Amino acid sequence: MTLAARLSAIDEQIADAARLAGRDAADITRIVVTKFHPASLVQELSALGVTDVGENRQQELTAKRAELADLPMRWHYIGQAQTNKASAIRRSADVVHSVDRDRLADALDRAAEGDDVLDVLVQINLTEDPGRGGVQPDGALALADRIANLPSLRLRGVMAVAPLDEAPASAFARLRSVADAVRAQHPDASWISAGMTADFAEAIVAGATHLRIGSAITGPRPVRG
Ligand SMILES: *Cc1c(COP(=O)(O)O)cnc(C)c1O
C-alpha cells in the first residue's frame, strides 16, 4: 500500500469509529506521528493534505522543523521533555502534549519570546509506573491550575498513552474523567489527546479530540542506529 492509501484507509476507520460513537469526525484531529522517519516523509504527508505531525524527540523535532521551515504544518511535541530542553522545544513546537510537572511548565513559560503563546496539554500517567511519564490523575488539577496561571502558556486539555497491561477502553475512561474534571475548572481545556495505531477506536469512544497515529500510516519505523 502507498502512503496515500494507508492515510485514507485510516481516515475511513476514524470516520467509522466516530459514526459508531455518535460523534462528528470533524471534531477529531488526526496527528501523524513521524518520529524516526526522514523529513521527506513530512513533505510527502503535507502534499497529501496532512496539517499536523507529531515528534517525540527534541533534536529530531528541531532538525525537521528547521529543514521544513516553509511547510504549512503544525508540529506537536508528544515525547517526554527534559526541563533543560524546554527552550528548544518551545522554539520548534506549536503544541506540547507532554507537560507533566510544574518545573517543566515553568521552564516552557520562561522560554517565551515576545508575546507568543504556546498550546500545552497536561500528560496524565494512567499506570503506576512513574517512568512512563505524566502526572498521576490526582495531581492533574493542581498542574492544570499552575499552567493556567502562566501567561505564555495556553492550557488546552489532557493527553495520555494507554497502559500496556490494561484494556485501552477502561484506561481511556479514566482519562475522560480527569479531562472532565480539568475542563470543569478550565472551560477552554477541551482537548483530549489519546489513541495510537492500536487503540484509536477506543480513544474515539472515550471522547478523544486528537489522535496520534504513527505506524498505521507511515509504515514501520526505521530502526535507529
Ligand atoms: C510513537 C508514539 C505514537 C504513535 O504510535 P503508533 O503506535 O506508531 O501509532 C503516539 N503517541 C506517542 C506519545 C508516541 O510516542
Side-chain angles (χ1 to χ4, degrees), residues 2-185:
T2 63
L3 182 64
R6 288 194 300 266
L7 183 66
S8 60
I10 290 299
D11 284 349
E12 271 177 44
Q13 291 176 38
I14 293 170
D16 288 346
R19 204 176 309 114
L20 273 172
R23 298 187 55 201
D24 185 347
D27 296 334
I28 298 172
T29 300
R30 177 253 300 119
I31 299 163
V32 182
V33 176
T34 47
K35 64 189 186 197
F36 299 12
H37 289 280
S40 57
L41 180 78
V42 179
Q43 240 159 350
E44 288 174 54
L45 288 165
S46 175
L48 294 170
V50 169
T51 55
D52 293 83
V53 293
E55 289 288 336
N56 75 335
R57 290 168 193 226
Q58 174 268 319
Q59 285 185 335
E60 193 175 337
L61 168 71
T62 299
K64 284 184 196 171
R65 184 154 198 172
E67 187 173 343
L68 302 173
D70 298 329
L71 205 65
M73 189 58 77
R74 245 186 320 272
W75 295 84
H76 297 257
Y77 186 73
I78 63 174
Q80 293 192 32
Q82 290 172 261
T83 303
N84 65 358
K85 297 287 167 54
S87 177
I89 291 168
R90 179 157 193 154
R91 278 197 300 277
S92 295
D94 298 296
V95 185
V96 176
H97 290 230
S98 44
V99 178
D100 61 359
R101 56 200 190 277
D102 288 354
R103 282 183 54 229
L104 178 58
D106 294 349
L108 286 167
D109 179 58
R110 275 196 309 274
E113 285 170 3
D115 54 8
D116 78 307
V117 173
L118 179 70
D119 286 331
V120 302
L121 304 176
V122 173
Q123 182 176 353
I124 311 297
N125 186 348
L126 298 175
T127 76
E128 312 267 282
D129 174 4
R132 297 214 59 208
V135 66
Q136 286 296 320
D138 63 5
L141 255 182
L143 180 53
D145 290 347
R146 180 157 190 129
I147 291 169
N149 281 317
L150 293 171
S152 78
L153 302 185
R154 178 162 49 184
L155 177 69
R156 300 311 300 256
V158 298
M159 175 274 214
V161 177
L164 301 171
D165 57 355
E166 180 185 355
S170 66
F172 289 150
R174 287 207 304 289
L175 175 64
R176 174 60 183 267
S177 65
V178 176
D180 288 347
V182 168
R183 192 178 182 179
Q185 298 297 320

